Amino acid sequence: MTEVVATNQTILVVGGGISGMTAALEAAEAGAQVVLVEKRPYLGGRTSQLYKYFPKLCHPTCGLEINQRRAKMNPNLTILTSAEVTGLEGEPGNYTATVKITPTYVNDNCTACGECAKAVEAEFDDEYNYGLSKRKGAYLPHVMAHPMKYVLDPRIIGTDDAQKAKDACKYDAIDLDMEEREINFPVGAVVWATGWQPYDAAKIQPYGYDRFENVISSVEFERMADPKGPTGGKIVRPSDGKEAKNVAFIQCAGSRDRNHLWHCSRICCMASLKQTHYVVDAYGDDAQVSIYYIDIRAIDRFEDFYARVKAMDNVKFIKSKVASITLNKENGNPVLNGVDTEGYHRYANEHDLVVLAIGMQPSVGMDEFPVEVSLNREGFIEPSEENGGVFPAGCAADALDVNRAVQSATGAALKAIQVVNRVAGAEG
Amino acid sequence: MSDLNTRMIEKYRNDFLKEVEANVEEGEWVKMCMQCGVCSGSCPLGKHWAHPPQEIFMMIRAGKREEVLTSDSMWMCTSCYNCIVRCPRELPITHIMHGLATYSKKLGLVPKGQPTATFAEIFWNNMMKKGRVNELKLGLSLYFKDGFGQGIKNAMANQKLGMSMMKAKRMSPAEFFGGHGIKDVGGLQKMIKKAQELEEARMKKFD
Ligand SMILES: Cc1cc2nc3c(=O)[nH]c(=O)nc-3n(C[C@H](O)[C@H](O)[C@H](O)COP(=O)(O)OP(=O)(O)OC[C@H]3O[C@@H](n4cnc5c(N)ncnc54)[C@H](O)[C@@H]3O)c2cc1C
Ligand code: SF4
Ligand code: SF4
Ligand code: SF4
Ligand code: SF4
């Protein structure tokens, strides 16, 4: 079990997504002592659930792997997974953090051999795949998980499955008596990088996300396109498993809307342009993509990416916020209804599959922060004196793509270093 | 064309948006429209008109004064409020539509024989007499708006509706002879007059 050695010159990083990892590594490599606390059993956050990155269309695992290697090599960095910051008291240069560590029932002996998963029978929705597939009650969160350790689902504890898992393990890695722990330690400054969550698509009632199987969200589509994902990388319809060649994207699903999220989520135009490549790569000339949009916000250097997608013959851009989705009961096709702004033509277009380019909202609710911070109307942390020694990074600060999240994290790390350096200076 | 219309054309020249902001109820919201199209797509009546709300708002910005003010579109709005509920920018679309209708009426630009406009006028006159709507007379004048023969036909066709309204005490045959009113009809009429004056004053303010 990891012990935490910390002082009031230590930097606490909350959240181990790309932003938190970046902030932690930058600070540690600059010589600061860092404790990184991540709620999930593994690092990487939501980028680990993406298939490819825009704009280069490379795989996120590549960047994450480099970061994991950097983390392993750095003695200044302590990583706590399955851990959550539940309290933070004090002032810049002198905070006490309270962290709750949830048991995974698996210790560091685990070799990820996978025998426990084979022995266990109970299955649950796989959160890594946004519930598109099932996983066992003993599982590796995903194939590239870091730390590379299995986890027992707390729901099997006390059932036969738990014992079966333990009996299957040849390395004495399963400890069914593990309990929740709470630890306290001093820190001087905090980088808050808890990231984002997708807006609840079911709240956009006229789109019928909860009624129509072939209406899915963009985060689910990322998993579907991934060869390691729930469909083995096949772009198919959830209702009947048929190939989905005629795919529609609905932009601003939940964003830029006073009934939902007021802000523009900034990444979803690019995400749909990227996902258009997934469809075209899968079906070539047979692919047909329609993007329903208000404005395409492919900012600065992303303009080229947009131009290239626009030039594709089998991609249509329809300037219109779709009013409603209905179902063609005969073939399970979602039917998109609305009026086209370029000419005001009324349409009712059928597609095989509809992807909602879902908005981004902060993962921590407005009243769930364990510490006083200044929040804007959307719940993102605003830079402010009020925040004391707490510095927001990445999507906890705003809806950002990876590149901008990383920049923001580097800035936050620098601010945190300044605080702990002042402490060091004062203490001599 | 009315004098007021000529005056307004001169006053606002090429800036119809400004004219709408000054003279139309909730008109100052028009510029907030981001042309997303959700209102048009959600409007149950949209199919039956020349221009859905989104298009009307764009036409206002484009200065298509004549086309907007003589259009029948705003007269077709049933106040279902679908559009308001859906608009991502919370434009009071229904109110703007009615505001445009009122304004076009004021300027004498309503298309001839537009049924909802005719009904609105009958309703208004009926209500102003007694301070309450006389359902029977309202119904009758509506049936007979296109002449006596058509009126009888209309009345026969809607006999059942009339009978059930009577049963539910929503309409009484006694209404034909005068009918019930409010206590102070004169007071109401004064109040309305004052409101109309205030509105005139508001229009003058935007010089
Ligand atoms: C459909 C879609 C496609 C996208 N594609 C791209 C792309 O191609 N290229 C690109 O640049 N960007 C893309 N993005 C954006 C990208 O996902 C984000 O920029 C990135 O995830 C931001 O990382 P983050 O670390 O700030 O947040 P997250 O990835 O959300 O990480 C936050 C971490 O904090 C943890 N956490 C949360 N609360 C707590 C707590 N209380 N205590 C401890 N830990 C906590 C979470 O478990 C998580 O691991 C896409 C987004 C979407 C929606
Ligand atoms: S817990 Fe044991 S059985 Fe399960 S993967 Fe780890 S080493 Fe293998
Ligand atoms: S990035 Fe595009 S899809 Fe996303 S909210 Fe902004 S305009 Fe809408
Ligand atoms: S819904 Fe609102 S913003 Fe969209 S076109 Fe209609 S009025 Fe404009
Ligand atoms: S309120 Fe009027 S304009 Fe709005 S949706 Fe209903 S009928 Fe259409």
Side-chain angles (χ1 to χ4, degrees):
Chain A
M1 191 71 41
T2 331
E3 285 314 318
V4 178
V5 184
T7 69
N8 60 358
Q9 290 174 37
T10 300
I11 295 171
L12 168 67
V13 178
V14 189
I18 190 72
S19 306
M21 282 172 80
T22 303
L25 285 166
E26 296 291 0
E29 286 173 5
Q33 291 293 325
V34 179
V35 179
L36 174 62
V37 173
E38 166 56 52
K39 193 163 74 173
R40 301 182 185 192
Y42 59 94
L43 297 178
R46 296 206 183 255
T47 50
S48 70
Q49 291 163 284
L50 301 177
Y51 169 41
K52 285 182 182 176
Y53 268 170
F54 62 71
K56 288 204 231 153
L57 297 178
C58 50
H59 295 276
T61 39
C62 162
L64 288 172
E65 234 173 309
I66 295 171
N67 278 337
Q68 282 155 12
R69 210 167 319 129
R70 278 167 78 189
K72 265 185 213 159
M73 277 163 31
N74 201 306
N76 293 341
L77 179 57
T78 306
I79 297 171
L80 302 176
T81 47
S82 299
E84 222 179 312
V85 175
T86 52
L88 189 66
E89 264 161 42
E91 56 196 22
N94 187 20
Y95 287 104
T96 303
T98 308
V99 171
K100 185 181 84 183
I101 302 174
T102 317
T104 59
Y105 306 98
V106 178
N107 62 31
D108 289 345
N109 293 345
C110 176
T111 62
C113 72
E115 287 305 319
C116 52
K118 284 185 204 151
V120 164
E121 270 159 46
E123 287 193 335
F124 302 97
D125 278 350
D126 186 350
E127 42 285 87
Y128 179 76
N129 286 330
Y130 292 100
L132 292 179
S133 63
K134 300 273 182 197
R135 58 153 174 81
K136 286 291 188 68
Y139 65 105
L140 186 65
H142 70 102
V143 288
M144 296 291 294
H146 175 85
M148 182 60 84
K149 266 176 26 175
Y150 272 62
V151 174
L152 297 201
D153 193 300
R155 286 168 287 191
I156 69 163
I157 302 305
T159 71
D160 291 349
D161 266 342
Q163 197 54 49
K164 277 186 206 157
K166 189 174 166 58
D167 294 344
C169 182
K170 291 193 282 279
Y171 303 93
D172 200 19
I174 294 183
D175 173 4
L176 296 177
D177 299 324
M178 230 182 242
E179 278 180 354
E180 187 180 295
R181 290 196 304 149
E182 199 177 87
I183 57 172
N184 295 296
F185 52 89
V187 296
V190 181
V191 173
W192 198 275
T194 48
W196 60 282
Q197 60 182 347
Y199 184 70
D200 178 5
K203 285 191 186 156
I204 316 166
Q205 194 272 345
Y207 290 168
Y209 173 79
D210 53 350
R211 300 190 298 278
F212 310 136
E213 280 184 89
N214 297 330
V215 176
I216 66 171
S217 76
S218 51
V219 289
E220 291 166 332
F221 196 65
E222 286 290 334
R223 298 310 313 130
M224 198 186 253
D226 190 342
K228 299 188 298 289
T231 57
K234 290 211 172 64
I235 295 173
V236 292
R237 289 152 47 108
S239 72
D240 49 19
K242 270 196 214 144
E243 295 185 328
K245 294 179 178 164
N246 178 349
V247 179
F249 291 94
I250 299 186
Q251 298 310 110
C252 306
S255 304
R256 297 177 69 190
D257 191 332
R258 293 185 185 202
N259 300 305
H260 303 283
L261 304 171
W262 286 52
H263 60 274
C264 162
S265 294
R266 280 213 196 93
I267 49 86
C268 17
C269 276
M270 278 305 291
S272 294
L273 293 172
K274 170 185 69 172
Q275 293 178 344
T276 296
H277 278 281
Y278 299 169
V279 185
V280 173
D281 288 351
Y283 297 117
D285 288 345
D286 287 345
Q288 260 185 299
V289 176
S290 306
I291 300 180
Y292 295 81
Y293 70 103
I294 305 176
D295 316 280
I296 293 293
R297 292 187 170 171
I299 40 178
D300 55 60
R301 71 205 171 94
F302 294 148
E303 185 73 24
D304 293 345
F305 195 99
Y306 172 34
R308 281 196 301 274
V309 174
K310 216 170 167 185
M312 293 179 182
D313 288 334
N314 39 1
V315 182
K316 258 197 294 196
F317 286 84
I318 299 149
K319 187 167 171 59
S320 165
K321 184 170 171 75
V322 173
S324 67
I325 300 179
T326 46
L327 180 72
N328 179 340
K329 286 205 180 92
E330 312 223 313
N331 54 18
N333 284 351
V335 184
L336 273 48
N337 307 292
V339 171
D340 176 353
T341 299
E342 291 168 329
Y344 305 101
H345 308 295
R346 201 160 280 276
Y347 59 80
N349 297 342
E350 277 193 36
H351 300 278
D352 296 336
L353 182 72
V354 175
V355 180
L356 305 179
I358 205 71
M360 243 188 197
Q361 70 183 90
S363 75
V364 180
M366 293 250 198
D367 42 15
E368 292 168 12
F369 281 88
V371 57
E372 195 80 20
V373 282
S374 167
L375 300 176
N376 67 13
R377 186 182 50 205
E378 284 81 28
F380 294 111
I381 306 173
E382 291 271 291
S384 155
E385 289 289 317
E386 243 178 87
N387 300 340
V390 180
F391 305 101
C395 290
D398 216 334
L400 300 171
D401 57 46
V402 169
N403 184 34
R404 287 175 176 78
V406 165
Q407 286 173 16
S408 139
T410 308
L414 181 60
K415 296 260 185 205
I417 290 172
Q418 287 168 352
V419 173
V420 295
N421 278 359
R422 270 200 299 276
V423 176
E427 291 180 358
Chain B
M1 244 179 233
S2 72
D3 282 354
L4 184 61
N5 190 35
T6 331
R7 272 208 329 268
M8 288 301 149
I9 292 176
E10 272 166 19
K11 186 163 158 187
Y12 292 100
R13 300 239 167 235
N14 295 322
D15 203 343
F16 183 40
L17 177 62
K18 208 165 155 208
E19 179 178 351
V20 168
E21 288 177 340
N23 299 338
V24 172
E25 190 188 344
E26 306 280 12
E28 62 278 13
W29 277 92
V30 169
K31 62 172 172 295
M32 287 298 292
C33 168
M34 65 168 161
Q35 289 293 302
C36 74
V38 149
C39 54
S40 307
S42 315
C43 178
L45 277 136
K47 290 185 219 181
H48 306 286
W49 329 326
H51 315 293
Q54 169 200 21
E55 189 180 7
I56 288 274
F57 300 156
M58 200 60 204
M59 287 163 77
I60 292 174
R61 283 199 264 186
K64 305 207 167 185
R65 184 179 190 276
E66 175 94 18
E67 272 175 71
V68 170
L69 292 174
T70 59
S71 137
D72 78 334
S73 297
M74 54 273 192
W75 293 99
M76 300 293 282
C77 170
T78 60
S79 311
C80 74
Y81 283 78
N82 259 2
C83 53
I84 290 197
V85 169
R86 293 298 307 286
C87 175
R89 291 253 169 120
E90 288 181 342
L91 266 79
I93 302 163
T94 317
H95 307 296
I96 304 170
M97 294 307 267
H98 292 314
L100 282 169
T102 310
Y103 188 53
S104 103
K105 162 87 181 147
K106 224 179 255 170
L107 302 182
L109 298 176
V110 184
K112 277 232 156 51
Q114 210 298 320
T116 19
T118 313
F119 173 75
E121 183 147 15
I122 294 172
F123 186 97
W124 178 259
N125 293 338
N126 178 312
M127 198 263 300
M128 283 303 284
K129 262 192 207 119
K130 294 261 173 189
R132 274 189 211 281
V133 172
N134 184 319
E135 298 278 0
L136 185 68
K137 286 194 179 165
L138 179 67
L140 288 179
S141 31
L142 197 61
Y143 293 165
F144 287 91
K145 78 176 172 50
D146 298 324
F148 188 74
Q150 186 59 40
I152 299 289
K153 257 192 235 159
N154 290 342
M156 295 304 278
N158 285 304
Q159 212 177 7
K160 238 175 132 180
L161 176 72
M163 291 307 277
S164 28
M165 279 180 76
M166 283 192 209
K167 255 193 223 151
K169 299 217 163 69
R170 293 275 295 138
M171 189 163 84
S172 150
E175 294 279 285
F176 193 73
F177 312 99
H180 67 297
I182 57 166
K183 273 190 200 133
D184 181 13
V185 181
L188 173 78
Q189 285 164 346
K190 256 193 236 152
M191 206 165 79
I192 299 283
K193 194 154 167 267
K194 183 72 194 170
Q196 280 165 339
E197 279 167 21
L198 287 174
E199 219 172 67
E200 294 295 323
R202 187 184 104 109
M203 278 175 71
K204 286 217 180 76
K205 224 173 51 193
F206 280 84
D207 272 316

